[in-house]
Amino acid sequence: MIIAVDGPTASGKGTIARALAAHFGLPVLDTGLLYRAVGYQTQLGHGDPDNAADALAACDFPDTLLDDPALRYESTGGLASRVSIHPAVRKALFQRQVDFANQPGGAVLDGRDIGTVIAPHADAKLFVTASPEERARRRHAEMRARGVDVTYDAVLADVHARDARDTGRADAPLLRADDALLLDNSEMDINEAIAAAIAFVEERVRRPS
Ligand code: DC
């Protein structure tokens, strides 16, 4: 079984994808991490993330980079969003994601274009979202808890900028697939959102569309 989980930044899609993977006993791939590795590697090489050739050169990053805590930084998310605009970068990362999705037994993948481009044949698709204000509130609380000195307004501005870039790009923009469940968790806590996601996938398994 292949489960596609897409959604904007700070929507909770990563947590939901991991919970689905644990529940259904499937491997999980956070595809944003691949774009984060490319963005970070571009910066390490003093390249320009807005330059397609610089970003493409960073696509052969070493796998060990995926464990680097710096990939989780908010600033790395911004770099990832910038390199992800380039079609050559998306092409370079495409096969790795497709192979992960199509492995025997299935998989869960989370990202922006899983249900639309990477695994359009997925058995269950979810589009996880929440209002920009709620996502910024959660991201701000999480950053403050880690000791990062940042204002709510700065986080909200970053959420809006990431949304605009991820939905506005020409190649594989962030988009809800027609057959994806819209899971708006603005008014839910994470456990309610996970329960709704599991219930949806179980229903899809019982009654494939
Ligand atoms: O999910 P994330 O915040 O770690 O993703 C970081 C950036 O990577 C996101 O702003 C856009 C890009 N991305 C993408 O273009 N396609 C994906 N499947 C996953 C992430």
Side-chain angles (χ1 to χ4, degrees), residues 15 31 61 63 88 97-98 124 127 130 167 171 174 196 200 204 207:
T15 307
T31 63
F61 59 82
D63 269 6
Q97 298 173 77
V98 169
F127 191 86
T167 55
D171 190 12
L174 170 65
F200 169 73
R204 266 295 142 95
R207 253 190 293 229

Side-chain angles (χ1 to χ4, degrees), residues 3 49 53 66 88 102 138 152 162 171 201:
I3 306 176
L66 295 172
N102 293 328
R138 292 177 193 167
Y152 167 82
R162 289 272 292 281
D171 190 12
V201 174

Side-chain angles (χ1 to χ4, degrees), residues 6-10 13 30-33 35-36 76-77 80-82 84-85 90 97 110-114 118 139 162 165-166 169 172:
D6 290 303
T9 187
K13 67 185 182 325
D30 168 5
T31 63
L33 211 52
Y35 290 93
R36 285 170 179 263
T76 311
S81 178
R82 286 162 67 187
S84 72
I85 280 183
R90 306 201 71 81
Q97 298 173 77
D110 78 85
R112 302 291 188 289
D113 61 343
I114 308 305
I118 301 297
R139 176 62 52 90
R162 289 272 292 281
R165 212 183 292 118
D166 293 351
R169 68 174 177 237

